[in-house]
């Protein structure tokens, strides 16, 4: 493979400054490893932020995508797309739901869910439908999904926001019951099963079950955002399956295409027929290349037992981090499930992003104080131990320096 010409990533005069970038650019990857344009090697603990399910240059995914590119990349949704039906049928089989709409991103999937909830309410005769959302949530950066998001820092410069959201704390059954009693306009509950950008905050099994019961009693839609925590990341296909429930609406994206942009809104009977022709659509959603990426990703995950791998290797990584950080002052909690883990510190730790990269490890810091690990689901036990061996000393050194 010929490496691309070396570049100076910090010198981007024509790119909008919407990202705080590290001064490195990636050249290529293999498995759970990537190389930058200077030839330095990194262990990928970030997976493109829970996107690269099968790692990099997977030997069965790459030829399938090459074959599809040679056939058909895009066709309009004016016409039938057989791969859409194939992927939709598989997602419905895995989720127990009934119908899917395809888009390209998690933001679009969440936007679609919000539109379903609004129309669901209008169809019931509710003029101004409202949706229960959560503190610390993150659902995207469009004006509507940003309005559903529960992070003031991300919202502040874009007000006024979209109305129609009622915010409650996570895992507080009394709070949502209070809203149910006082607000007749509520039509849906919208939450991440594990909050990703909010700091790897899981909804408890008991809470999810209570919300499902309340939605059934009130004829609300239960809408579970599985954009980051779905696609096998926790050891089940979807994180809500640990609670033994089914949502009415499930937005998903990120890992569905192993790096090819694919999003979906998967619905059960209560929501599947809310939208009709002309209510919603997308140019690129459901294109043949994206659908092939989704079909092949799911096939390889099943063939290679990646759900079991995520559960087993994730548990081993979490245990190794717990051992390596036991009794370290400044470590608040290690939480998460499978290969979606967060290490909360008692102080802001954004500079660990660069320190980890210097040490050959890719990760992220979210919610200012939470180190996030969402590596490819092909991560081996040995690679998990390497992550712990690199990261634990970095955290200890940082906490010693930043009292």
């Amino acid at each position: 493979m010929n490496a691309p010409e070396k570049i100076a990533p910090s010198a981007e005069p024509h790119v909008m400054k919407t990202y705080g970038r590290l001064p490195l650019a990636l050249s290529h990857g293999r498995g759970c490893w990537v190389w930058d344009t200077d030839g330095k090697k990194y262990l990928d603990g970030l997976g493109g932020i829970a996107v690269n399910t099968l790692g990099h240059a997977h030997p069965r995914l790459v030829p399938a995508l090459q074959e599809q590119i040679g056939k058909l990349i895009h066709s309009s949704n004016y016409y039938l797309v057989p791969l859409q039906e194939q992927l939709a049928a598989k997602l419905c089989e895995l989720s127990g739901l009934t119908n899917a709409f395809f888009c390209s991103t998690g933001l679009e999937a969440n936007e679609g869910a919000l539109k379903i909830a609004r129309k669901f309410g209008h169809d019931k005769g509710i003029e101004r439908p409202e949706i229960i959302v959560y503190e610390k949530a993150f659902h995207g950066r469009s004006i509507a999904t940003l309005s559903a998001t529960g992070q003031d820092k991300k919202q502040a410069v874009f007000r006024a926001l979209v109305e129609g959201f009622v915010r409650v704390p996570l895992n507080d059954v009394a709070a949502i019951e209070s809203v149910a009693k006082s607000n007749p306009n509520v039509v849906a509950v919208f939450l991440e099963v594990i909050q990703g950008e909010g700091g790897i905050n899981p909804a408890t099994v008991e809470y999810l079950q209570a919300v499902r019961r309340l939605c059934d009693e009130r004829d609300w839609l239960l809408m579970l955002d599985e954009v980051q925590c779905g696609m096998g990341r926790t050891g089940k296909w979807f994180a809500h399956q640990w609670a033994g429930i089914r949502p009415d609406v499930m937005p998903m994206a990120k890992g569905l295409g192993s790096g090819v942009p694919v999003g979906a809104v998967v619905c059960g009977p209560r929501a599947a027929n809310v939208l009709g022709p002309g209510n919603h659509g997308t140019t690129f959603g459901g294109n043949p290349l994206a659908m092939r990426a989704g079909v092949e990703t799911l096939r390889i995950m099943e063939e290679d037992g990646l759900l079991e791998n995520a559960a087993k290797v994730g548990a081993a990584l979490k245990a190794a981090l717990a051992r390596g950080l036991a009794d370290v002052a400044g470590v608040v909690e290690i939480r998460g499930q499978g290969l979606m883990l967060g290490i909360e510190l008692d102080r802001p730790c954004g500079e660990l992003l660069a320190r980890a990269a210097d040490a050959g490890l890719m990760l992220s810091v979210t919610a200012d104080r939470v180190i996030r690990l969402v590596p490819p689901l092909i991560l081996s036990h040995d690679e998990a131990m390497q992550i712990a061996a690199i990261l634990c000393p970095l955290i200890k050194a940082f906490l010693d320096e930043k009292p």
Side-chain angles (χ1 to χ4, degrees):
M1 175 181 293
N2 293 323
E5 182 180 351
K6 293 183 180 181
I7 63 171
S10 59
E12 297 180 310
H14 303 298
V15 177
M16 285 191 181
K17 308 304 179 186
T18 55
Y19 303 103
R21 299 189 197 272
L22 295 182
L24 63 91
L26 299 182
S27 165
H28 63 284
R30 288 289 184 275
C32 289
W33 298 86
V34 291
W35 286 259
D36 68 19
T37 52
D38 292 322
K40 183 174 179 177
K41 184 180 180 182
Y42 304 83
L43 179 51
D44 188 0
L46 184 59
I49 315 182
V51 167
N52 296 107
T53 300
L54 303 179
H56 304 277
H58 192 281
R60 301 204 300 284
L61 179 66
V62 169
L65 296 183
Q66 290 172 329
E67 179 191 51
Q68 187 61 46
I69 288 171
K71 290 181 175 180
L72 191 64
I73 295 174
H74 177 80
S75 67
S76 170
N77 281 303
Y78 285 156
Y79 313 109
L80 297 174
V81 182
L83 282 165
Q84 279 189 25
E85 179 56 33
Q86 187 177 346
L87 183 55
K90 189 63 179 178
L91 290 174
C92 291
E93 173 195 328
L94 297 175
S95 65
L97 303 178
T98 60
N99 296 82
F101 169 87
F102 291 107
C103 50
S104 300
T105 67
L107 179 157
E108 292 175 76
N110 284 333
E111 189 88 17
L114 296 177
K115 288 179 70 174
I116 289 170
R118 287 282 186 96
K119 188 170 183 297
F120 177 78
H122 284 293
D123 289 348
K124 294 171 64 175
I126 299 173
E127 183 177 350
R128 302 176 72 85
E130 297 191 340
I131 301 167
I132 294 175
V133 292
Y134 287 79
E135 296 173 3
K136 299 184 181 180
F138 180 81
H139 298 293
R141 297 179 186 272
S142 69
I143 291 296
T145 55
L146 189 64
S147 302
T149 289
Q151 300 181 33
D152 185 73
K153 183 169 68 174
K154 290 182 171 67
Q155 295 175 330
V157 298
F158 298 107
R159 292 192 172 95
L161 300 173
V162 174
E163 63 178 18
F165 297 103
V166 181
R167 199 168 307 281
V168 298
L170 187 63
N171 293 323
D172 185 339
V173 175
I176 196 171
E177 287 177 340
S178 177
V179 173
K181 293 175 183 176
S182 63
N183 192 329
N185 291 330
V186 169
V187 298
V189 180
F190 188 33
L191 75 155
E192 299 157 277
V193 184
I194 302 176
Q195 292 179 338
E197 304 301 318
I200 315 298
N201 305 309
T204 67
V205 165
E206 295 77 15
Y207 185 76
L208 290 169
Q209 292 170 343
V211 175
R212 176 69 275 180
R213 287 193 298 269
L214 190 59
C215 287
D216 289 339
E217 292 167 3
R218 296 277 173 166
D219 192 29
W220 295 347
L221 297 179
L222 176 57
M223 309 198 304
L224 297 181
D225 179 343
E226 291 266 2
V227 169
Q228 190 166 148
C229 60
M231 279 303 296
R233 185 146 295 276
T234 66
K236 288 189 182 289
W237 284 107
F238 307 106
H240 68 265
Q241 290 174 330
W242 291 102
I245 63 169
R246 289 179 184 171
D248 300 300
V249 181
M250 181 179 66
M252 58 182 300
K254 285 195 179 288
L256 179 55
S258 298
V260 176
V262 189
V265 187
V266 189
C267 294
R270 190 178 290 178
N273 297 310
V274 170
L275 298 179
N279 290 148
H280 196 51
T282 168
T283 296
F284 291 104
N287 69 75
L289 178 61
M291 297 297 92
R292 183 70 183 272
V295 167
E296 298 295 336
T297 295
L298 293 172
R299 179 180 62 80
I300 294 168
M301 288 179 69
E302 287 188 318
E303 290 176 355
D304 291 0
L306 293 189
L307 271 67
E308 295 82 0
N309 190 69
K312 183 177 179 180
V313 175
L317 175 55
K318 190 175 183 181
L321 293 169
R323 289 192 301 270
L325 298 171
D327 303 319
V328 174
V331 176
V332 176
E333 186 181 14
I334 301 170
R335 58 179 176 261
Q337 191 168 5
L339 288 174
M340 184 175 184
L341 299 175
I343 306 164
E344 183 178 356
L345 307 186
D346 65 357
R347 65 208 73 177
C349 58
E351 64 189 77
L352 281 173
L353 193 69
R355 293 192 187 193
D358 288 342
L361 175 63
M362 292 192 156
L363 47 74
S364 74
V365 171
T366 190
D368 294 328
R369 306 187 311 174
V370 180
I371 300 158
R372 173 174 51 179
L373 295 169
V374 281
L377 301 192
I378 62 169
L379 189 77
S380 70
H381 182 275
D382 179 64
E383 289 164 337
M385 295 306 100
Q386 290 182 63
I387 289 176
I390 295 170
L391 184 54
C392 291
L394 285 176
I395 293 172
K396 291 177 183 177
F398 170 77
L399 292 171
D400 286 343
E401 293 171 20
K402 304 284 183 177

